[in-house]
Amino acid sequence: MTPCPVCNGLTNLVKDCPACGSPMEDCGRISSFTDPYGPYEETAESESKNAVTGDSHCVHFLHCPNCDENTSYIVNSDEI
Ligand SMILES: [Zn+2]
Ligand SMILES: [Zn+2]
């Protein structure tokens, strides 16, 4: 469960590409605080990570369709 307004469809994440200025596409949430290549996920470990990262922000992956720039953006539910 996340309060992220983007994940909840309350708002669209629209950011300009830092490289070319074109609007970037929100490719969804990424788990930047967990190992994306981890072959397994232990329940206790994920619980502790949730406690560390909290529920106040959500990291989204942005892709520029114009120049293929990739970046991430931290959506802070307190800011939107
Ligand atoms: Zn989100
Ligand atoms: Zn771009």
Side-chain angles (χ1 to χ4, degrees), residues 2-8 13 26 28-30 57-60 75:
T2 172
C4 173
V6 181
C7 286
N8 289 326
L13 181 58
D26 175 22
R29 183 179 190 178
I30 57 174
H57 63 267
C58 176
V59 182
H60 280 251
V75 180

Side-chain angles (χ1 to χ4, degrees), residues 16-22 24 64-69:
D16 291 337
C17 174
C20 74
S22 294
M24 303 185 81
C64 176
N66 188 50
C67 73
D68 262 0
E69 178 80 1

Side-chain angles (χ1 to χ4, degrees), residues 2-79:
T2 172
C4 173
V6 181
C7 286
N8 289 326
L10 299 177
T11 184
N12 288 322
L13 181 58
V14 179
K15 291 293 170 184
D16 291 337
C17 174
C20 74
S22 294
M24 303 185 81
E25 294 179 347
D26 175 22
C27 294
R29 183 179 190 178
I30 57 174
S31 301
S32 66
F33 297 102
T34 59
D35 183 4
Y37 302 106
Y40 61 90
E41 185 173 333
E42 295 182 12
T43 302
E45 187 178 6
S46 63
E47 284 181 356
S48 65
K49 283 179 179 175
N50 286 339
V52 171
T53 57
D55 294 321
S56 62
H57 63 267
C58 176
V59 182
H60 280 251
F61 181 76
L62 295 172
H63 170 75
C64 176
N66 188 50
C67 73
D68 262 0
E69 178 80 1
N70 294 315
T71 187
S72 60
Y73 180 78
I74 298 175
V75 180
N76 192 323
S77 60
D78 295 332
E79 294 178 0

